[in-house]
Amino acid sequence: MSRAVVLGGGLAGMLAAAALARAVDEVTVVERDQLPTEPQPRKGLPQGHHSHILMRGGVEALDQLLPGVTDRLYAAGAKRRGLPSGALARGPEGWMERLDTDAYLLLCSRELLDHVVREQVLREERIGVREGTRVTGLVGDADRVTGVRIEQGGAERTLDADLVVDATGRATSAPKWLVDLGLPQVREDVVDAGIVYVSRWFTAPPGTRDDFPGVMIQMQAGTGRPGQGAGLLPMENGRWILSLFGSRGGEPPTDEEGFAQFARERHHPIIADLIAQARPAGPIRAYRSIPDQRRRFEKLPVPEGFLVIGDAAQALNPVHGTGMSVAAQCALALRTELDVRGLRPGFSRNVQAAIAKINQGAWQIAVNTDQGLPHVRANVPLRGGAFANKMAARVARTGCGNRMVINTVFNVASLCAPMTRMMTPAFLWAVLRGPRTPALTAEQAIAQFPEFGDLVKVDAAPRSTASPA
Ligand SMILES: Cc1cc2nc3c(=O)[nH]c(=O)nc-3n(C[C@H](O)[C@H](O)[C@H](O)COP(=O)(O)OP(=O)(O)OC[C@H]3O[C@@H](n4cnc5c(N)ncnc54)[C@H](O)[C@@H]3O)c2cc1C
């Protein structure tokens, strides 16, 4: 009988368990928290108090791993919003025309997402969870991991396993555990722009339409000033979440007045005006210290029977909104490797290499922007420079009103296409030609969204949303 142990019962851990259950007789998830039976916050998931968007690439991977899960999420109140057709968006270089693209977001609280995923995963009889149990180390040697050490209620014991998957998140102890087995220290790449998130939940005002679009103001890099942005997003149960974010030197404040003022100063007061009509539904919470961080386990002689997935392998600045989608795509890669080759020698290294490849795409997206933020601290060479910043700005400006350009950009950002799509002659030619329509004013951009209803008053006729070629 084969047995896998998954360390951590967050999103990556649950999805890895689902992937493993197709090929392994028994899967045990070890989680230090007691997992809630309803969509509720928990101690081990502090980021759950902040907005979490799931990109199209993640939605599709999730649905392949757990058929029907996104329908269950929508039935429980999750929203689907086209990018940028379903949300008022301001990119780094201006307000975007309401163009249809292939990209979309799934929006719901992190608690609901984890709850619906967990319920479906744990329906599988081969998967069990040990809650309130902390992983303290690995068992085995530098060639093969044969189990884990766990601690529950003060008692220590060992769990044997043919495969151990670490999904304990950004603060994983896997690098130390591997050193304890005799492996070298894993290389860790860090690009730290000093990002801080400050968020609050609101009850939407009476009369808010179910198709309320939300507002997304992206941060701008390469200006010499800190990057700052905001996202007001519709969630389940008539709630909104507002997340404000800023890089080093431009962090959002956490007091009531400063919070509202920071929102008001984001190019247009629309977000501040909207939350002034809503009722706060919780405290203002901050999340600090969120660098781009990847651990290069694929460069180690990873022992047989061990691999690392999710934030434990790579955790990024969340303004790019890719962490959960990457976790889903990596779990799918794990399942594919199991389907194709099974638990044979070399399995761990193959999967770790596949995970590194998926991580690389999201890493590039994040670092390309973050390296252009001021006072960035990094232990890897940063490319960027004036030319790269100019090109990025031109892409962003052209994308505001060009369907082909913005479709490509959002397909890459939502992890549905590789970055090389932004290198094709057609894309580069469109960017060289630059914007073909005048930039939208904030009022024109807002007027594209009658779904705001009476909550937003603007004095502008909507401009044509027809896209130039
Ligand atoms: C402020 C913020 C906003 C974000 N917004 C987005 C977004 O919009 N879109 C997006 O895709 N991603 C977003 N992310 C990233 C996203 O939260 C992560 O990518 C995702 O949670 C990774 O899942 P994971 O399962 O790898 O790790 P986690 O969700 O951190 O889960 C790790 C689990 O391991 C458990 N654990 C840890 N140590 C042990 C141990 N020793 N023993 C037993 N159990 C243990 C923890 O309790 C936890 O349950 C955001 C992150 C932050 C910080």
Side-chain angles (χ1 to χ4, degrees):
M1 193 175 99
S2 55
R3 182 195 232 190
V5 176
V6 177
L7 318 182
L11 189 72
M14 284 296 160
L15 297 179
L20 290 163
R22 295 202 348 167
V24 178
D25 298 315
E26 192 184 299
V27 183
T28 304
V29 178
V30 181
E31 169 56 50
R32 65 183 172 190
D33 275 359
Q34 293 294 334
L35 294 171
T37 51
E38 296 294 321
Q40 275 168 2
R42 63 184 175 91
K43 195 166 164 251
L45 201 70
Q47 69 267 44
H49 296 297
H50 301 266
S51 62
H52 271 70
I53 57 179
L54 190 66
M55 298 283 187
R56 179 182 149 208
V59 176
E60 290 177 353
L62 199 62
D63 242 348
Q64 284 186 61
L65 286 160
L66 301 171
V69 73
T70 52
D71 285 345
R72 276 180 208 103
L73 283 163
Y74 290 130
K79 323 273 178 214
R80 176 177 160 146
R81 293 290 182 268
L83 267 181
S85 58
L88 171 64
R90 192 189 189 282
E93 293 291 326
W95 296 93
M96 292 188 186
E97 287 195 16
R98 191 174 187 179
L99 301 171
D100 269 328
T101 70
D102 305 324
Y104 63 85
L105 305 173
L106 185 147
L107 300 176
C108 68
S109 68
R110 178 64 195 266
E111 293 135 33
L112 179 65
L113 181 70
D114 279 16
H115 173 74
V116 171
V117 165
R118 199 159 56 227
E119 258 199 350
Q120 189 161 341
V121 170
L122 297 182
R123 240 182 265 152
E124 166 59 57
E125 282 177 0
R126 295 173 184 220
I127 304 176
V129 196
R130 276 179 173 267
E131 297 172 58
T133 305
R134 200 168 57 89
V135 181
T136 57
L138 300 173
V139 181
D141 56 33
D143 295 325
R144 172 165 270 289
V145 167
T146 56
V148 285
R149 285 201 309 278
I150 57 169
E151 186 265 323
Q152 187 179 19
E156 289 226 23
R157 58 164 294 195
T158 296
L159 287 182
D160 296 334
D162 300 289
L163 179 67
V164 173
V165 178
D166 176 32
T168 53
R170 195 185 265 270
T172 178
S173 299
K176 176 184 173 302
W177 295 337
L178 290 176
V179 168
D180 290 347
L181 293 187
L183 277 110
Q185 185 71 39
V186 66
R187 185 178 125 195
E188 192 169 318
D189 297 341
V190 180
V191 176
D192 182 4
I195 299 292
V196 172
Y197 256 58
V198 177
S199 305
R200 188 173 213 180
W201 286 91
F202 293 88
T203 302
T208 301
R209 290 171 51 159
D210 197 45
D211 53 1
F212 178 81
V215 186
M216 298 167 67
I217 314 269
Q218 291 178 13
M219 60 166 53
Q220 192 176 13
T223 63
R225 293 185 304 277
Q228 294 178 314
L232 177 70
L233 299 172
M235 297 279 146
E236 73 275 8
N237 299 332
R239 292 186 303 164
W240 291 342
I241 189 166
L242 172 57
S243 285
L244 308 177
F245 39 89
S247 69
R248 192 167 284 114
E251 300 87 347
T254 52
D255 62 292
E256 299 258 350
E257 210 177 302
F259 184 80
Q261 188 60 25
F262 186 98
R264 185 163 295 283
E265 287 167 0
R266 302 279 63 78
H267 298 284
H268 188 275
I270 180 168
I271 292 183
D273 291 347
L274 282 165
I275 58 166
Q277 301 171 69
R279 195 156 40 83
I284 297 172
R285 287 191 166 95
Y287 197 114
R288 297 173 199 281
S289 185
I290 350 183
D292 300 316
Q293 186 175 19
R294 65 174 169 178
R295 301 180 175 102
R296 312 299 300 271
F297 291 103
E298 76 285 1
K299 304 239 179 244
L300 284 182
V302 189
E304 292 287 348
F306 181 71
L307 58 94
V308 186
I309 200 165
D311 272 18
Q314 173 172 285
L316 300 175
N317 168 1
V319 308
H320 307 287
T322 51
M324 300 188 301
S325 296
V326 165
Q329 291 186 336
C330 290
L332 199 57
L334 166 62
R335 192 180 82 178
T336 304
E337 186 67 21
L338 275 172
D339 286 351
V340 174
R341 276 185 276 275
L343 271 182
R344 299 232 196 100
F347 174 82
S348 297
R349 280 178 206 171
N350 287 345
V351 178
Q352 205 64 64
I355 287 173
K357 201 166 166 204
I358 294 166
N359 282 345
Q360 170 67 17
W363 173 265
Q364 263 184 300
I365 293 170
V367 169
N368 279 358
T369 304
D370 295 355
Q371 66 189 352
L373 292 166
H375 316 300
V376 66
R377 296 171 191 158
N379 68 356
V380 289
L382 298 178
R383 294 195 179 86
F387 178 72
N389 288 340
K390 249 186 163 160
M391 268 309 278
R394 196 160 175 90
V395 169
R397 205 160 45 241
T398 309
C400 287
N402 181 310
R403 201 193 94 83
M404 191 276 280
V405 170
I406 202 60
N407 192 40
T408 308
V409 169
F410 277 140
N411 270 324
V412 171
S414 58
L415 308 180
C416 293
M419 213 168 232
T420 48
R421 288 285 167 80
M422 291 168 63
M423 300 291 163
T424 62
F427 183 87
L428 293 173
W429 174 235
V431 171
L432 278 177
R433 284 169 72 206
R436 313 299 286 171
T437 51
L440 287 184
T441 64
E443 282 68 26
Q444 286 169 334
I446 296 167
Q448 301 176 110
F449 290 88
E451 295 91 335
F452 283 123
D454 294 337
L455 299 178
V456 174
K457 306 259 182 293
V458 277
D459 202 9
R463 233 192 45 195
S464 159
T465 55
S467 162

